[in-house]
Amino acid sequence: WELDAHNLRAEVHKSTGNYGGATTSYEAAARLAEQQAGSASDPATKARFASLQRTASAAAGWVLVEKALESKSQGDLDKASGFFDSLAAKFGSEGEIVSASENAQGVIKLARDDAAGALEHFQRVEVLHFSSPTEVARSLYYQAQCWEKLGNAEQKAARLRDLKEYFKKSEW
């Protein structure tokens, strides 16, 4: 319940535009999950808390991406990119982190008007990280945006159709 409270607090901060508060809350959730993973005695509980730590850490990064998209600041985009690079260094090749990092780098490239480069990141998530459904759904959404910028309405429609068909309950 304490993890849920940190995550809820982060969502409230995010909804009011308090990016610093949201990041702090997600980081607190990640620290708590790390502590719980460290003190867990059985492997299943340890793995569950480790996954929650990675998810909360990635969520903190997504707050930085949202802030960068709103500010349109190159410095904010660089900060978000660097944050995801540091997550990959910290957690290695864990699915939640690698897929979120790929998507984040794609969003950042898209924000910098590199739709073709962004598309490569999003397609990698779809093909290589299908075990991360939230990130695959996000990648399909952003692939549609890339195809729109690249002037291919047929591919845009196909990506949106896949998103609606395979990820009906997704926020994307």
Side-chain angles (χ1 to χ4, degrees):
W1 60 264
E2 193 174 351
L3 279 171
D4 290 341
H6 285 299
N7 288 326
L8 181 59
R9 188 176 299 120
E11 289 298 318
V12 169
H13 285 306
K14 208 166 53 165
S15 72
T16 62
N18 180 354
Y19 296 117
T23 301
T24 300
S25 294
Y26 281 130
E27 289 171 345
R31 280 191 306 277
L32 178 61
E34 182 179 27
Q35 291 169 354
Q36 294 297 319
S39 64
S41 56
D42 69 285
T45 302
K46 185 180 283 295
R48 180 173 173 268
F49 279 114
S51 177
L52 290 169
Q53 177 192 8
R54 293 187 299 269
T55 300
S57 295
W62 282 112
V63 170
L64 296 175
V65 171
E66 287 179 36
K67 179 183 177 199
L69 294 176
E70 185 176 298
S71 74
K72 297 182 182 4
S73 159
Q74 293 302 314
D76 285 345
L77 290 168
D78 290 341
K79 183 177 179 180
S81 179
F83 182 88
F84 275 100
D85 288 342
S86 72
L87 286 184
K90 179 177 181 178
F91 293 108
S93 62
E94 293 293 335
E96 301 102 318
I97 297 300
V98 176
S99 59
S101 293
E102 284 283 351
N103 272 339
Q105 298 305 338
V107 170
I108 290 165
K109 281 190 177 185
L110 189 59
R112 290 180 168 151
D113 293 323
D114 180 5
L119 186 59
E120 290 178 27
H121 287 283
F122 301 133
Q123 288 173 331
R124 258 195 299 274
V125 172
E126 180 186 10
V127 173
L128 299 175
H129 305 290
F130 50 86
S131 63
S132 298
T134 299
E135 293 301 331
V136 172
R138 186 189 318 255
S139 82
L140 290 170
Y141 172 82
Y142 280 109
Q143 283 182 54
Q145 288 191 352
C146 289
W147 285 117
E148 181 176 17
K149 284 192 179 257
L150 294 169
N152 190 325
E154 185 178 313
Q155 283 295 325
K156 175 189 175 186
R159 299 293 75 201
L160 292 175
R161 190 172 43 254
D162 287 347
L163 177 59
K164 289 175 185 173
E165 182 178 341
Y166 299 114
F167 301 97
K168 292 177 178 138
K169 295 182 182 180
S170 170
E171 68 180 288
W172 296 101

